[in-house]
Amino acid sequence: MIEDKNQQRTDLGNLGEFGLIEHLTKNFNINQKSTIRGIGDDAAVLDFKDKQVVLTTDLLVEGVHFDLSYAPLKHLGYKSVMVNLSDVYAMNAKATQITVSIAVSNRFPLEALEELYEGIQTAAKIYGVDVVGGDTTSSSTGLLISITALGEVTKNEVVYRKGAMPNDLLVVSGDLGGAYMGLQVLEREKEVYKVNPTNQPDLSMYTYMIERQLKPEARKDIVKLLKDLDVKPTSLIDISDGLSSEILHICKQSKVGCDLYESKIPLDPQVISACEEFKIDSTTVALNGGEDYELLMTISQKDYPKIKANPNLTVIGFITEESAGKHLVTRADTKIELKAQGWKSFND
Ligand code: ADP
Ligand code: MG
């Protein structure tokens, strides 16, 4: 479909590696104080003074992590940045720089990479991070994107997965399951398109979910909100794989148990109706769907008054002693062991 979208096709071979790098990165500006030298030398130079530095990296592979038949390259660039920034925010840190490495086959014209970089640049601009380097190489088949993000945090502000204590509240930002249901819609439309390419589907009732899948937002705003509310979570993680898997990470690292209340899991109305349409249990989707890039945290009971009226934060359960186990409390008030793959398989 790349061929359809780009009228003009400039062969990458015409530019050469250095010409390509220069072309793609010429509009990147430096805004962070900690960036001494960005793109253009053998290495970037950064100065974080007395701050601790957080560093995280992700690798996205065509056909495994994304499908270019429905993920526009601009969105893919944006999402690749979000995936990384989300990990920085999950340390309660401020994201400051990224590097972008790509491996690309010659089936991509320059215009496709321009689109990808447009998304990367938009994300960097909105989230205030500097693009300070990367690497560019060829690939014999598909597209690979690896982004590394750096951030800064004071020793007092950093939050790990390991600090949850019994009686702490389990709290999540935003709502869950949207990205997974967006993917279901896109997969279905892809099959329809294969049979009938002229069909113009009306996807207006799915826009929220499709956007959650194709163009997620990392929750920089939640890190700020917590600071403004003067709440330091006792543990923090981002939801990339699904709620249950992330809760289990916190429990394992903190050596605690938990009670998660099914009835408290925040779901968007669009997600609820899509689950009905697709005949999938919405709790299963929230528990196992993944890619929502919300933040999951534990908060001390004493901070409850500060967060209770906030529409961005939902209390979904609480932390227990490790010996009590890890449970989902269902709407019918029965306790089911919380598993990484949820309590029901997707194929039921
Ligand atoms: P080297 O040969 O030392 O690896 P390169 O020619 O690959 O240097 O890179 C030159 C500069 O451009 C470096 O600052 C590098 O970090 C940056 N760079 C290379 N590829 C990319 C890319 N895809 N995105 C952003 N910056 C890049
Ligand atoms: Mg290089």
Side-chain angles (χ1 to χ4, degrees):
M1 283 206 193
I2 296 158
E3 283 77 7
D4 300 340
K5 256 184 260 152
N6 293 283
Q7 302 296 340
Q8 208 183 335
R9 286 181 57 87
T10 310
D11 195 347
L12 289 180
N14 296 347
L15 282 131
E17 185 192 329
F18 301 126
L20 175 63
I21 295 170
E22 205 175 293
H23 183 84
L24 292 176
T25 61
K26 62 174 185 277
N27 293 325
F28 287 137
N29 302 314
I30 297 300
N31 292 304
Q32 291 289 340
K33 264 200 216 125
S34 50
T35 308
I36 308 298
R37 179 76 168 112
I39 292 169
D41 216 307
D42 296 302
V45 180
L46 310 175
D47 182 358
F48 289 97
K49 301 208 161 57
D50 51 357
K51 296 279 177 66
Q52 293 194 335
V53 177
V54 301
L55 184 147
T56 174
T57 192
D58 269 288
L59 176 62
L60 301 176
V61 178
E62 183 181 351
V64 179
H65 301 100
F66 57 89
D67 181 338
L68 288 176
S69 59
Y70 53 66
L73 280 155
K74 206 197 286 185
H75 288 177
L76 180 63
Y78 192 90
K79 181 171 177 174
S80 315
V81 178
M82 288 308 123
V83 169
N84 278 273
L85 298 190
S86 181
D87 282 320
V88 173
Y89 301 137
M91 302 304 290
N92 203 30
K94 172 183 159 191
T96 48
Q97 288 91 9
I98 59 171
T99 65
V100 179
S101 299
I102 52 173
V104 59
S105 75
N106 56 14
R107 89 178 149 89
F108 291 89
L110 173 66
E111 287 74 17
L113 293 185
E114 283 175 342
E115 247 191 83
L116 180 78
Y117 265 72
E118 220 181 292
I120 290 170
Q121 192 175 3
T122 303
K125 202 171 159 194
I126 293 175
Y127 283 76
V129 296
D130 295 342
V131 182
V132 296
D135 201 18
T136 309
T137 184
S138 57
S139 131
S140 52
T141 52
L143 174 66
L144 276 86
I145 308 168
S146 176
I147 295 193
T148 296
L150 287 114
E152 57 181 47
V153 67
T154 65
K155 214 173 166 179
N156 292 331
E157 282 172 336
V158 66
V159 179
Y160 298 100
R161 297 176 175 184
K162 66 179 182 192
M165 302 283 284
N167 298 319
D168 282 354
L169 302 168
L170 199 53
V171 176
V172 70
S173 68
D175 52 69
L176 300 174
Y180 180 82
M181 290 315 292
L183 184 62
Q184 299 315 299
V185 172
L186 290 167
E187 296 269 2
R188 184 177 69 183
E189 293 316 316
K190 183 180 167 184
E191 293 310 309
V192 172
Y193 179 86
K194 275 187 200 158
V195 181
N196 182 4
T198 56
N199 180 42
Q200 282 289 327
D202 176 14
L203 298 177
S204 55
M205 69 267 234
Y206 307 116
T207 46
Y208 175 68
M209 295 172 286
I210 292 173
E211 197 156 316
R212 293 283 282 173
Q213 169 59 225
L214 294 181
K215 194 177 165 289
E217 301 290 345
R219 298 310 303 259
K220 179 185 182 181
D221 58 325
I222 298 294
V223 174
K224 179 176 186 300
L225 174 72
L226 291 168
K227 270 190 189 84
D228 292 346
L229 294 173
D230 193 29
V231 173
K232 185 189 172 190
T234 53
S235 70
L236 184 59
I237 189 169
D238 74 319
I239 304 185
S240 47
D241 296 335
L243 180 62
S244 54
S245 152
E246 317 302 358
I247 291 179
L248 293 175
H249 281 307
I250 284 186
C251 287
K252 187 171 179 199
Q253 296 220 13
S254 301
K255 300 190 175 62
V256 293
C258 71
D259 280 344
L260 164 68
Y261 287 82
E262 183 185 16
S263 61
K264 304 286 185 201
I265 297 173
L267 300 167
D268 186 87
Q270 258 195 22
V271 172
I272 295 173
S273 38
C275 284
E276 282 165 12
E277 186 188 335
F278 282 78
K279 299 194 174 22
I280 312 180
D281 181 78
S282 59
T283 303
T284 309
V285 167
L287 289 179
N288 304 309
E291 291 204 292
D292 286 316
Y293 300 105
E294 294 296 341
L295 291 175
L296 172 73
M297 65 204 86
T298 54
I299 286 179
S300 166
Q301 293 262 2
K302 73 167 169 38
D303 287 329
Y304 179 62
K306 298 181 193 166
I307 63 143
K308 73 172 179 196
N310 202 291
N312 295 294
L313 301 171
T314 308
V315 178
I316 54 173
F318 54 87
I319 297 298
T320 58
E321 297 288 345
E322 189 173 30
S323 57
K326 298 165 274 286
H327 293 107
L328 176 75
V329 183
T330 68
R331 287 198 187 85
D333 209 25
T334 51
K335 277 194 171 188
I336 296 171
E337 194 191 332
L338 196 64
K339 295 202 185 113
Q341 265 314 304
W343 45 285
K344 230 167 148 187
S345 110
F346 275 122
N347 307 321
D348 277 3

